[in-house]
Amino acid sequence: SFRNMAGIARVCQACLRPRVSQFSLVPTGRAGFATCAFTVPSRGSTPEQTLFVAGLNEGKFFGQDSAEETLKLVERVAQHSPEYTLLFGISDRRLAELEQDNKVKQGRLTPSRDLEGRLHCEMIPVLQAGMVDKRPRKHVGRSVFTDQVHVARLLWKNPQEARKVYWAFWRRRHYKDAEARSFWAKYFPVSSYAYFEERAHIIAIRATEHMMALRKQEMNDSTVLVVNNDIYDLVVQHLNDFL
């Protein structure tokens, strides 16, 4: 259950004590790229592990908080840790669909113009980079159905928010990424918690469990966690609490 998973994550505090640092791929003076790194120091025979967290803007392929910048991050990680792992903050079903529909051909990534408009299209280049490198790709998000059920339950218990759903539906496309969370949190402070906060919580817990597994196997491989920017800062906050 969600509560049990949180308990498991708290156990991590006894064995994972990371150093958290900002990790930038751009020259000094250009700030704001949503990326940070959690380094778990070596202890005895157990080597160091590093978790990089990258936030992506919806549908963005170039520039700040884009697929391009995350690909640069993955490239640098691969140079120093060829046995890296990719984690994606989406459901297992969605990750399987993305892999099935976006096979790499002749070792080349699909041009961004052919990906525009697809759900989670900004993650596809990073996913394909992992395919080319033959690296593990895992989901750490929960199912969309679970999100829907939890939000619906809170709306049912809070009719004052349920009355505004139709109004908000026609305005949702005006807000993306961090602005989207601000919009929903402003007008749906109770029910939006299930969609944003709980998603981030689950992702952070599962990423922590992954780091624990590496620690137990005494592996020094790096990991890159890719999430959408609507919950990037929440994920980082929870990782700070758990690790």
Side-chain angles (χ1 to χ4, degrees):
S1 68
F2 183 76
R3 182 175 298 176
N4 289 337
M5 293 177 69
I8 291 172
R10 284 194 291 271
V11 174
C12 302
Q13 296 177 10
C15 55
L16 297 178
R17 299 183 182 278
R19 298 187 300 270
V20 183
S21 60
Q22 295 298 315
F23 181 86
S24 177
L25 293 169
V26 295
T28 302
R30 179 187 170 192
F33 179 40
T35 284
C36 70
F38 292 79
T39 301
V40 183
S42 59
R43 180 180 300 174
S45 62
T46 304
E48 177 182 278
Q49 293 88 27
T50 304
L51 170 66
F52 297 93
V53 186
L56 290 178
N57 282 344
E58 180 183 344
K60 191 170 184 179
F61 294 101
F62 302 101
Q64 184 173 305
D65 297 344
S66 67
E68 176 190 33
E69 295 287 4
T70 305
L71 284 173
K72 292 178 183 178
L73 168 61
V74 172
E75 182 180 11
R76 289 186 59 180
V77 169
Q79 290 173 354
H80 295 88
S81 180
E83 302 299 313
Y84 70 91
T85 299
L86 289 174
L87 303 180
F88 294 89
I90 55 179
S91 69
D92 55 345
R93 179 176 179 179
R94 187 57 190 150
L95 180 60
E97 290 174 347
L98 289 179
E99 291 198 334
Q100 180 62 36
D101 297 341
N102 299 281
K103 299 291 187 182
V104 174
K105 298 179 180 179
Q106 299 179 341
R108 296 187 177 184
L109 307 189
T110 303
S112 59
R113 63 178 177 275
D114 297 333
L115 301 175
E116 293 178 353
R118 299 187 191 181
L119 181 63
H120 297 307
C121 60
E122 66 281 353
M123 292 188 177
I124 295 175
V126 184
L127 178 66
Q128 289 186 328
M131 294 179 180
V132 172
D133 290 344
K134 295 181 172 59
R135 301 311 310 143
R137 303 167 299 278
K138 303 177 181 179
H139 82 282
V140 288
R142 72 180 183 186
S143 71
V144 175
F145 177 74
T146 302
D147 291 337
Q148 293 171 339
V149 170
H150 285 213
V151 171
R153 178 178 61 84
L154 291 176
L155 285 173
W156 178 263
K157 295 174 64 176
N158 295 272
Q160 69 277 15
E161 291 190 6
R163 287 194 294 266
K164 295 183 287 187
V165 169
Y166 182 79
W167 168 84
F169 177 82
W170 295 104
R171 289 163 176 78
R172 73 192 190 286
R173 297 188 183 280
H174 298 297
Y175 305 94
K176 296 172 62 176
D177 309 311
E179 290 184 355
R181 194 176 90 231
S182 297
F183 170 76
W184 291 104
K186 178 179 180 180
Y187 297 104
F188 300 85
V190 177
S191 54
S192 65
Y193 178 93
Y195 185 70
F196 296 105
E197 184 71 31
E198 288 185 10
R199 280 170 56 220
H201 200 177
I202 290 291
I203 290 170
I205 289 172
R206 291 177 175 172
T208 301
E209 291 175 335
H210 170 78
M211 297 296 287
M212 286 181 65
L214 293 180
R215 192 77 169 174
K216 185 176 181 180
Q217 299 171 41
E218 297 188 353
M219 302 172 64
N220 66 342
D221 303 332
S222 295
T223 301
V224 179
L225 168 61
V226 182
V227 299
N228 289 115
N229 264 342
D230 60 343
I231 57 171
Y232 167 80
D233 56 339
L234 293 177
V235 170
V236 171
Q237 176 183 327
H238 286 307
L239 286 172
N240 272 315
D241 293 338
F242 292 155
L243 293 179

